[in-house]
Structures are given as C-alpha cells and as structure tokens.
Amino acid sequence: MSRGPNEAAGAAELELPGLVRDRVKEGRAKAAATRARKSAEAEITDVDPVAKVLVDLPMAHLDRPFDYAVPASMATEALPGVRVKVRFGAKDVDGFVVARAEASEHSRLQPLKRVVSSEVVLTPAVAALSASVARRYAGARADVLRLAVPPRHASTEKVATPVAPAGLPFDAAAADEAWAGHEPAAAFLRHLASGGAPRAVWHAAAGTDHADLIAQAVAATLASGRGALVVVPDWKDLARLDGAMTKVLGEGQHAVLAADAGPAQRYREFLRVSRGAVKVAIGTRAAAFAPVHDLGLVVVWDDGDDLLAEQRSPYPHARDVLLLRAEEERTAALVGGFARTVEAAFLAETGWAQEIRPTRALARERVSIEITGDTDFDLEKDPLTRASRVPREAHEVIRAALADGPVLLQTPRRGYAASLACDRCRTPARCTACQGPLQLVGPASPPTCGWCAHVEAAWACGACGGFGLRAPIIGEARTAEEMGRSFPGVRVMTSSAGAVKQTVPDAPAIVVATIGAEPVVSPAPGRPDTASGYTAVLLLDTWLLLGRPDLRTDEEALRRWSNAAGIVRPGGRVLVVGDPALSVLQALVRWDQPGFARREASARQEAHLPPASRLATITATPGALDDALTLLALPPGGEVLGPVPADPTSAGEPRLRAVVRVPRSLGTKLTEALGELQRVRSARKLDPVRIQVDPPSL
C-alpha cells in the first residue's frame, strides 16, 4: 500500500535522531513564518495601488517613471516625494515616488522593496522643475535630482525641526531708503508686498550694500505671506547675505544651503525648508532647487559668475533654473549685479523683465572712476604713466586714500612672478629639462619650472647668453612686497586662492587681492551703521584679462572690474591702469554696464551667437563624435561647426568638440533632438559623449 507524501515525510522524520528531528521542525516553522510574512507583504493596497517611481539611473533611455505595486504595509508611507528602494533588473536601486495611481498599463508589477524614509523630500514643484531642467539641458532627471535633493542623513532626519521664532516686521520706509536712487525700485517693492510677481533686471550702483537691498526685497515678499529664494556665487557672498538677512528679517528666519557645510548641517537646513519651518532660503548654485513653500520671489546675484554654472551633468546654470522656476511657479524674479550679462540684457530687451538701475546722479555721487594717462596733462606730468605697471599717479592716489581707510589693489595673477624673461633680449625664460616656463615662487627662491618643478640654479639665455631675469607678469605676492617698500609703516595684506580673506578692518591698510578674492571692509567697531568700504580701488594689469581667447572676454573683464569697484566706499575713487581708448574701460568709467551689454548683444546677434541663437557643444573621441553627429536629427536651419580639438594638452585618446547652432526660435527643437540622441546612444550602449547646452564659455 502506497503512502502519501506527508505520511512518507513523517515516517522518515520518525527515523531521525531526536536532536535532528527538533531542528527539522524548527526549520519548517521558520519557513512557514517567512511564507506568511511574504504573503502579507505581497498583499497590495486597495487605494492607489500603483506607485510611479523615478529610479536613480543616469541612462537616458530609462529616464521616465516606472510603475510598481504598493504593498498594503507601505500604503501610508509610500507617498509622492519619499525615497524608496525598488528592484530594477537584477539589482536593488534607489528612487523617488513621484505619483500614486489607481491603475497601470502593465498587468504584472513588481512590488516596492521598502520605503527608505517617510520624509517627503521631493515636492511636486521641484519634481516638475527637474523635468523642465532635464529637457532644457538635454539631460536625465536622475542627474538633476542628485543636484536638487541632498543625500539623506538618517540621524538628522530623526530630529524634530523647531518652528522659527517670530521675525521682525517689514519696514517699508527702511526698504525705500535702502533702495533710494535705484529706479523704479519703490514700485517693485510695493508690487512684492502686495502679492504681485514683478520681474526685474537690477544694475546696482558702486558702493551699494547689495546684500541689504536683497534682504529688504525678501522682507517685502514675506509681508505678502510668501517665501523667497536667493542664490549667490560663493561663500563670501553667502556670508555677507546671511548677516544682512539676520539684520533685516530677525534671527532664525532663513536657511543657509551651502554644499561645503557638511552632510549633517546641509541636510538639517534642507529639512528646515522642506518642512516649512522657514520660508526663506539662501545659498549657492544647488540652492536653486530648494523646496521653499509658497515661493513668491527668486533672486540671483552676479549671474555672470562661472561658479553659478554646474560642473556636473546636465550642467544647468542657476540663473536659468531660477527663471524656469519663476515661469512655472509664477513668482517674482530679480537678476542683479554690479555688471550686466548679455543674457540679463536680453531679458530686459525682450520685455520679460523691467530694468532697475541707478540714477545718473547716484552713479556719479557714489564713485569716481579714472584711467591713468587719459589726459594730456597726465602724460605731461608723467610721460611713462602708460608704460608703468603702477605709475606715479597710482602712488599718489594710494597715499591720499590711506589717510581715511583701506585701499584695494586688484591683480589678475597670484604668486610671486608668474613668468620670467631675459632682461637683455626679453626672450621668455624656459626650463632646460622640459622647455616649460620658469617662474619665481618667492624673493629668495631660484627660478623653478612651472611644468616639471626643475630648479634652474644657473640659468642662461639661449638667445643672447644673458644671465639676468625680469618678471613681465607679477603676482599678488610680489605686488604686496613692492607696496611694502613704497609705503613703509603701512600694513599690507594679501588675499588669493588658498588664503582668501572674507573681511578686513576699516583701518588704513593696503590689500592686494587676486580676482574674486577681494575681501569686503567690515564696519568700524562701535559704528555698525556707518557706510564702509575701500577708500580707493586700483585695477592693475587690465591687459591680462583682455587677452583671453573666449567669447565672453570683454564681458567677463568688465564684470570683474565692476565687482571690485562695487565694494568702494560711497564717494571713493577707482583708478584703472590700462588703455583709455578701450570701449570696455570707457563703459566702466561711465558706469554704463547695461549699455555695454546691449552693444555686445547686438554684435553677437550679427554673428549669430547667443543669446540670439541657441547652441550646444558635443565632445567625444573622434569615432564617437562622428557617430553622434550622424545620429543627430537637427531641425531645419541648424548647423554644425567643427569639429576642433577639445583639449590639445589632455593625455590619452584625443577628444574633439563640435558646436551645434540653431536660431533661438528653434532652441526647444534642438534640445529635443539632443535628448533623443542621448536616449538612442544609451539604448545601444555606444561610447558616451558629453553634451553641454548653452555653455558659459566657448
């Protein structure tokens, strides 16, 4: 008589020793419990059982939400905006739930693996913005979300976020006084306070405390019950803005979002914004995606700074992200700076934004800007003024200004002597080992190669046999040494990369700083409300900035000079050592940066360059670039320029770069074509190419 399977298993079990029999029973019990638990987990919820998940995969052909089933045990936590873990192919990947739905086009769905955190970190507005940015820059949403949402810090997330204390009330009179002389700023502030959404391009007068003016505009927005978001280029601007916000809004009324703040601090500040504890966020470029509740105003300061351009794919610019956000969320927008970019001028020219600029009287009252040797009298007084690096006129200005406060000298190069040449025949000094340029790192150091670090203890000129050296290009260290000899007894400070000073005291001193490292003058002790700044600013070696082979050479030079002139004390002086005939220097003297931007935009339009056209660069190895250009379906009217070597000095296989250009009206079609190119290449697993839409430099 045959036995059933259960009877056979029971009989076999009775034949086992007692200890083994107990272990078999225990294993079967655990297996049954596991099956029951998995069965319970597999039970799908009845309410919105489908979760649309955007997986964290950078492949362009997978850049879309995927449907997953929502287990009943996760139904209350798997809400739009939370982080989840899902099964994708043969591995578990991270993702964000972007929506819940009642049904799916697919009959069988994988269930969510788990909810990583119930914290909603991706708001609907930011989710929509990430899609717009990905389309605008022909990138993947997964890459954009890495920029928008900081990494999770579990211990920080468990701590409750305290509600911000009551802030200071909006003082309309103080706001009007701060913005006085910038027209029509008063109307702009009234519009903000009444709940409107004005859009403006702001040109600040020299000596303006721009951080205070931005804080007043934010206070007007808060008075209407809305939030605000401000983006600045670097930590120096952020520290200055932080102090102004605390002064105008009150303690604890804003969050500071900076990438270098550390993971815990950055996530803590992000949660203050996402949880609605504060309605104002300030930060560097990644803060453009901050999930501010009831957003009413977006501000970007100094939009021409290349620090606002993201260095990671898809390379968005913070200005364009904020302008997209203003369009989608119908907010006010303010693009400001001491200079004006061609893109900002285009916004005003097309009527998308109105101009706010200083009156002529205010611009003249704030600063006096002169160029050395610009009159016959100056040349008669000092015939060598145009040939000298620091002419006599500059020494006179420094000496007179030191009686009232600090003086700033801006120089383009850091170090001691960035290059050397024979003092007899002016032939550039070269290394005998590798033919690299020689330089001096200090007053007592021998010449050293800038490429291989070889020390030339006994250099001789190969052209004339001379042994003497001269420094045609001098850095900030050598400049500070020369100033110390020229002005004995005066304190001389330097500020450059690696040793940037944020502030200097309001006392007589000479500050030698490289471009972008200029410290601001802190108010004198006991006089916090007194206008502070440099009594004089000198701009040296202006020819160096104008020698760069770049589309934005003149625009960038004017921006850097304007930023230095902008931190002068009201009524101070700016002296430029340069060629008075240059139009870019004349624009600085007149403080007419908007006019220069308009002329630059007109010249670019004639040459079919941005912003009159839209372009993108495609960089890859020769074979990959040829394949990409073959697959690219350009819209009618598009053209391909190049290819040319992308980086002649790079090691390995050479890389080429092609420029794709279309009229501005076809910009959307261009990004669609580039996006489709990325998807096709990703699906076919072809060699990667780098696509950058509207690069900041070319």
Side-chain angles (χ1 to χ4, degrees), residues 64 86 136 152 193 207 211 214 246 253 266 284 429 451-452 493 577 584 606 622 632 640:
R64 65 184 186 277
V86 297
R136 167 73 171 74
R152 180 174 179 248
I214 292 173
T246 301
Q253 297 301 305
R266 182 185 178 194
T284 48
W451 290 357
C452 69
M493 295 177 282
V577 181
V584 63
E606 293 177 1
L632 179 62
V640 178

PDB file of all heavy atoms in Angstrom, residues 64 86 136 152 193 207 211 214 246 253 266 284 429 451-452 493 577 584 606 622 632 640:
ATOM      1  N   ARG A  64      12.412  57.874 -17.239  1.00  0.00           N
ATOM      2  CA  ARG A  64      10.960  58.003 -17.143  1.00  0.00           C
ATOM      3  C   ARG A  64      10.505  57.274 -15.882  1.00  0.00           C
ATOM      4  O   ARG A  64      11.209  56.396 -15.375  1.00  0.00           O
ATOM      5  CB  ARG A  64      10.279  57.399 -18.372  1.00  0.00           C
ATOM      6  CG  ARG A  64      10.473  55.899 -18.501  1.00  0.00           C
ATOM      7  CD  ARG A  64       9.856  55.362 -19.778  1.00  0.00           C
ATOM      8  NE  ARG A  64       9.898  53.907 -19.850  1.00  0.00           N
ATOM      9  CZ  ARG A  64      10.944  53.205 -20.255  1.00  0.00           C
ATOM     10  NH1 ARG A  64      12.058  53.833 -20.619  1.00  0.00           N
ATOM     11  NH2 ARG A  64      10.896  51.880 -20.302  1.00  0.00           N
ATOM     12  N   VAL A  86      13.704  49.900  -4.869  1.00  0.00           N
ATOM     13  CA  VAL A  86      12.935  49.057  -5.778  1.00  0.00           C
ATOM     14  C   VAL A  86      13.871  48.064  -6.470  1.00  0.00           C
ATOM     15  O   VAL A  86      15.090  48.268  -6.522  1.00  0.00           O
ATOM     16  CB  VAL A  86      12.179  49.889  -6.830  1.00  0.00           C
ATOM     17  CG1 VAL A  86      11.159  50.809  -6.187  1.00  0.00           C
ATOM     18  CG2 VAL A  86      13.154  50.695  -7.678  1.00  0.00           C
ATOM     19  N   ARG A 136      15.491  71.123 -20.792  1.00  0.00           N
ATOM     20  CA  ARG A 136      16.194  72.340 -21.218  1.00  0.00           C
ATOM     21  C   ARG A 136      17.663  72.053 -21.537  1.00  0.00           C
ATOM     22  O   ARG A 136      18.243  72.659 -22.458  1.00  0.00           O
ATOM     23  CB  ARG A 136      16.080  73.376 -20.095  1.00  0.00           C
ATOM     24  CG  ARG A 136      16.992  74.589 -20.190  1.00  0.00           C
ATOM     25  CD  ARG A 136      16.530  75.523 -21.273  1.00  0.00           C
ATOM     26  NE  ARG A 136      17.266  76.776 -21.236  1.00  0.00           N
ATOM     27  CZ  ARG A 136      18.526  76.957 -21.636  1.00  0.00           C
ATOM     28  NH1 ARG A 136      19.208  75.922 -22.103  1.00  0.00           N
ATOM     29  NH2 ARG A 136      19.101  78.140 -21.576  1.00  0.00           N
ATOM     30  N   ARG A 152      20.664  61.704   2.072  1.00  0.00           N
ATOM     31  CA  ARG A 152      19.968  61.558   3.355  1.00  0.00           C
ATOM     32  C   ARG A 152      20.966  61.413   4.494  1.00  0.00           C
ATOM     33  O   ARG A 152      21.987  60.760   4.362  1.00  0.00           O
ATOM     34  CB  ARG A 152      19.054  60.330   3.301  1.00  0.00           C
ATOM     35  CG  ARG A 152      18.282  60.090   4.590  1.00  0.00           C
ATOM     36  CD  ARG A 152      17.306  58.948   4.417  1.00  0.00           C
ATOM     37  NE  ARG A 152      16.561  58.679   5.635  1.00  0.00           N
ATOM     38  CZ  ARG A 152      16.670  57.592   6.378  1.00  0.00           C
ATOM     39  NH1 ARG A 152      17.524  56.628   6.012  1.00  0.00           N
ATOM     40  NH2 ARG A 152      15.960  57.434   7.467  1.00  0.00           N
ATOM     41  N   ALA A 193       5.196  93.470  -1.992  1.00  0.00           N
ATOM     42  CA  ALA A 193       4.468  93.471  -0.722  1.00  0.00           C
ATOM     43  C   ALA A 193       2.983  93.238  -0.903  1.00  0.00           C
ATOM     44  O   ALA A 193       2.307  92.735   0.009  1.00  0.00           O
ATOM     45  CB  ALA A 193       4.707  94.791   0.007  1.00  0.00           C
ATOM     46  N   GLY A 207      29.378 100.920  -4.518  1.00  0.00           N
ATOM     47  CA  GLY A 207      29.233 101.268  -3.117  1.00  0.00           C
ATOM     48  C   GLY A 207      27.923 100.845  -2.502  1.00  0.00           C
ATOM     49  O   GLY A 207      27.647 101.154  -1.337  1.00  0.00           O
ATOM     50  N   ALA A 211      23.637  93.164  -0.410  1.00  0.00           N
ATOM     51  CA  ALA A 211      23.033  92.164   0.473  1.00  0.00           C
ATOM     52  C   ALA A 211      21.874  92.765   1.256  1.00  0.00           C
ATOM     53  O   ALA A 211      20.827  92.128   1.441  1.00  0.00           O
ATOM     54  CB  ALA A 211      24.089  91.603   1.415  1.00  0.00           C
ATOM     55  N   ILE A 214      18.851  93.215  -1.126  1.00  0.00           N
ATOM     56  CA  ILE A 214      18.189  91.932  -1.394  1.00  0.00           C
ATOM     57  C   ILE A 214      17.358  91.512  -0.189  1.00  0.00           C
ATOM     58  O   ILE A 214      16.222  91.030  -0.333  1.00  0.00           O
ATOM     59  CB  ILE A 214      19.236  90.865  -1.751  1.00  0.00           C
ATOM     60  CG1 ILE A 214      19.890  91.178  -3.099  1.00  0.00           C
ATOM     61  CG2 ILE A 214      18.608  89.476  -1.789  1.00  0.00           C
ATOM     62  CD1 ILE A 214      21.042  90.266  -3.452  1.00  0.00           C
ATOM     63  N   THR A 246      19.758  88.243   8.639  1.00  0.00           N
ATOM     64  CA  THR A 246      19.524  88.236  10.088  1.00  0.00           C
ATOM     65  C   THR A 246      19.192  89.635  10.580  1.00  0.00           C
ATOM     66  O   THR A 246      18.315  89.821  11.439  1.00  0.00           O
ATOM     67  CB  THR A 246      20.766  87.697  10.816  1.00  0.00           C
ATOM     68  OG1 THR A 246      21.050  86.375  10.348  1.00  0.00           O
ATOM     69  CG2 THR A 246      20.547  87.650  12.311  1.00  0.00           C
ATOM     70  N   GLN A 253      15.235  83.229  10.739  1.00  0.00           N
ATOM     71  CA  GLN A 253      14.146  83.348   9.761  1.00  0.00           C
ATOM     72  C   GLN A 253      14.501  82.781   8.386  1.00  0.00           C
ATOM     73  O   GLN A 253      13.656  82.782   7.498  1.00  0.00           O
ATOM     74  CB  GLN A 253      13.751  84.824   9.609  1.00  0.00           C
ATOM     75  CG  GLN A 253      13.215  85.451  10.867  1.00  0.00           C
ATOM     76  CD  GLN A 253      11.987  84.735  11.386  1.00  0.00           C
ATOM     77  OE1 GLN A 253      11.002  84.561  10.662  1.00  0.00           O
ATOM     78  NE2 GLN A 253      12.040  84.291  12.625  1.00  0.00           N
ATOM     79  N   ARG A 266      24.046  70.510   6.098  1.00  0.00           N
ATOM     80  CA  ARG A 266      23.339  70.787   4.849  1.00  0.00           C
ATOM     81  C   ARG A 266      21.946  70.144   4.860  1.00  0.00           C
ATOM     82  O   ARG A 266      20.964  70.781   4.478  1.00  0.00           O
ATOM     83  CB  ARG A 266      24.157  70.254   3.671  1.00  0.00           C
ATOM     84  CG  ARG A 266      23.529  70.525   2.312  1.00  0.00           C
ATOM     85  CD  ARG A 266      24.324  69.864   1.205  1.00  0.00           C
ATOM     86  NE  ARG A 266      23.703  70.068  -0.091  1.00  0.00           N
ATOM     87  CZ  ARG A 266      24.018  69.406  -1.188  1.00  0.00           C
ATOM     88  NH1 ARG A 266      24.982  68.509  -1.144  1.00  0.00           N
ATOM     89  NH2 ARG A 266      23.398  69.637  -2.330  1.00  0.00           N
ATOM     90  N   THR A 284      24.257  78.763  -2.430  1.00  0.00           N
ATOM     91  CA  THR A 284      24.989  78.750  -3.685  1.00  0.00           C
ATOM     92  C   THR A 284      24.167  78.003  -4.733  1.00  0.00           C
ATOM     93  O   THR A 284      22.994  77.723  -4.512  1.00  0.00           O
ATOM     94  CB  THR A 284      26.377  78.120  -3.471  1.00  0.00           C
ATOM     95  OG1 THR A 284      26.228  76.897  -2.733  1.00  0.00           O
ATOM     96  CG2 THR A 284      27.268  79.056  -2.661  1.00  0.00           C
ATOM     97  N   ALA A 429      61.996  82.963 -20.529  1.00  0.00           N
ATOM     98  CA  ALA A 429      62.915  82.013 -19.896  1.00  0.00           C
ATOM     99  C   ALA A 429      62.276  80.638 -19.854  1.00  0.00           C
ATOM    100  O   ALA A 429      61.154  80.477 -19.365  1.00  0.00           O
ATOM    101  CB  ALA A 429      63.264  82.486 -18.487  1.00  0.00           C
ATOM    102  N   TRP A 451      56.212  73.480 -15.066  1.00  0.00           N
ATOM    103  CA  TRP A 451      55.694  72.192 -15.533  1.00  0.00           C
ATOM    104  C   TRP A 451      56.281  71.022 -14.750  1.00  0.00           C
ATOM    105  O   TRP A 451      55.518  70.187 -14.248  1.00  0.00           O
ATOM    106  CB  TRP A 451      56.000  72.006 -17.024  1.00  0.00           C
ATOM    107  CG  TRP A 451      55.222  72.908 -17.920  1.00  0.00           C
ATOM    108  CD1 TRP A 451      54.253  73.799 -17.558  1.00  0.00           C
ATOM    109  CD2 TRP A 451      55.347  73.000 -19.344  1.00  0.00           C
ATOM    110  NE1 TRP A 451      53.761  74.465 -18.646  1.00  0.00           N
ATOM    111  CE2 TRP A 451      54.412  73.990 -19.774  1.00  0.00           C
ATOM    112  CE3 TRP A 451      56.140  72.380 -20.290  1.00  0.00           C
ATOM    113  CZ2 TRP A 451      54.263  74.342 -21.116  1.00  0.00           C
ATOM    114  CZ3 TRP A 451      55.990  72.728 -21.633  1.00  0.00           C
ATOM    115  CH2 TRP A 451      55.059  73.699 -22.036  1.00  0.00           C
ATOM    116  N   CYS A 452      57.602  70.974 -14.654  1.00  0.00           N
ATOM    117  CA  CYS A 452      58.236  69.800 -14.040  1.00  0.00           C
ATOM    118  C   CYS A 452      58.885  70.094 -12.698  1.00  0.00           C
ATOM    119  O   CYS A 452      59.482  69.198 -12.089  1.00  0.00           O
ATOM    120  CB  CYS A 452      59.275  69.200 -14.984  1.00  0.00           C
ATOM    121  SG  CYS A 452      60.739  70.251 -15.230  1.00  0.00           S
ATOM    122  N   MET A 493      48.293  93.527   3.286  1.00  0.00           N
ATOM    123  CA  MET A 493      47.676  92.202   3.380  1.00  0.00           C
ATOM    124  C   MET A 493      47.439  91.651   1.977  1.00  0.00           C
ATOM    125  O   MET A 493      47.251  92.414   1.024  1.00  0.00           O
ATOM    126  CB  MET A 493      46.349  92.281   4.143  1.00  0.00           C
ATOM    127  CG  MET A 493      46.488  92.676   5.600  1.00  0.00           C
ATOM    128  SD  MET A 493      44.870  92.836   6.418  1.00  0.00           S
ATOM    129  CE  MET A 493      44.355  94.432   5.810  1.00  0.00           C
ATOM    130  N   VAL A 577      44.570 101.112 -14.356  1.00  0.00           N
ATOM    131  CA  VAL A 577      45.823 101.185 -15.107  1.00  0.00           C
ATOM    132  C   VAL A 577      45.603 100.405 -16.400  1.00  0.00           C
ATOM    133  O   VAL A 577      45.617  99.172 -16.414  1.00  0.00           O
ATOM    134  CB  VAL A 577      46.997 100.601 -14.299  1.00  0.00           C
ATOM    135  CG1 VAL A 577      48.288 100.720 -15.105  1.00  0.00           C
ATOM    136  CG2 VAL A 577      47.125 101.305 -12.968  1.00  0.00           C
ATOM    137  N   VAL A 584      35.611  98.919 -23.417  1.00  0.00           N
ATOM    138  CA  VAL A 584      35.188  98.249 -22.198  1.00  0.00           C
ATOM    139  C   VAL A 584      35.605  99.057 -20.971  1.00  0.00           C
ATOM    140  O   VAL A 584      34.870  99.128 -19.976  1.00  0.00           O
ATOM    141  CB  VAL A 584      35.752  96.805 -22.157  1.00  0.00           C
ATOM    142  CG1 VAL A 584      37.271  96.811 -22.118  1.00  0.00           C
ATOM    143  CG2 VAL A 584      35.200  96.042 -20.964  1.00  0.00           C
ATOM    144  N   GLU A 606      24.525  89.841 -34.779  1.00  0.00           N
ATOM    145  CA  GLU A 606      25.031  89.890 -36.144  1.00  0.00           C
ATOM    146  C   GLU A 606      25.886  88.667 -36.464  1.00  0.00           C
ATOM    147  O   GLU A 606      25.924  88.211 -37.605  1.00  0.00           O
ATOM    148  CB  GLU A 606      25.851  91.165 -36.336  1.00  0.00           C
ATOM    149  CG  GLU A 606      25.029  92.440 -36.260  1.00  0.00           C
ATOM    150  CD  GLU A 606      25.890  93.679 -36.378  1.00  0.00           C
ATOM    151  OE1 GLU A 606      27.119  93.518 -36.543  1.00  0.00           O
ATOM    152  OE2 GLU A 606      25.331  94.789 -36.308  1.00  0.00           O
ATOM    153  N   PRO A 622      37.068  60.897 -31.525  1.00  0.00           N
ATOM    154  CA  PRO A 622      36.703  61.101 -32.941  1.00  0.00           C
ATOM    155  C   PRO A 622      35.633  60.151 -33.451  1.00  0.00           C
ATOM    156  O   PRO A 622      34.680  60.571 -34.125  1.00  0.00           O
ATOM    157  CB  PRO A 622      38.033  60.899 -33.671  1.00  0.00           C
ATOM    158  CG  PRO A 622      39.067  61.288 -32.670  1.00  0.00           C
ATOM    159  CD  PRO A 622      38.537  60.855 -31.344  1.00  0.00           C
ATOM    160  N   LEU A 632      22.366  62.524 -34.999  1.00  0.00           N
ATOM    161  CA  LEU A 632      21.658  63.732 -34.583  1.00  0.00           C
ATOM    162  C   LEU A 632      20.742  64.224 -35.693  1.00  0.00           C
ATOM    163  O   LEU A 632      21.180  64.474 -36.817  1.00  0.00           O
ATOM    164  CB  LEU A 632      22.670  64.819 -34.208  1.00  0.00           C
ATOM    165  CG  LEU A 632      22.095  66.162 -33.775  1.00  0.00           C
ATOM    166  CD1 LEU A 632      21.251  66.014 -32.513  1.00  0.00           C
ATOM    167  CD2 LEU A 632      23.214  67.180 -33.555  1.00  0.00           C
ATOM    168  N   VAL A 640      26.312  72.676 -38.018  1.00  0.00           N
ATOM    169  CA  VAL A 640      27.370  72.081 -37.211  1.00  0.00           C
ATOM    170  C   VAL A 640      28.674  72.794 -37.525  1.00  0.00           C
ATOM    171  O   VAL A 640      29.058  72.924 -38.694  1.00  0.00           O
ATOM    172  CB  VAL A 640      27.508  70.571 -37.493  1.00  0.00           C
ATOM    173  CG1 VAL A 640      28.649  69.988 -36.667  1.00  0.00           C
ATOM    174  CG2 VAL A 640      26.200  69.848 -37.179  1.00  0.00           C
TER     175      VAL A 640
END
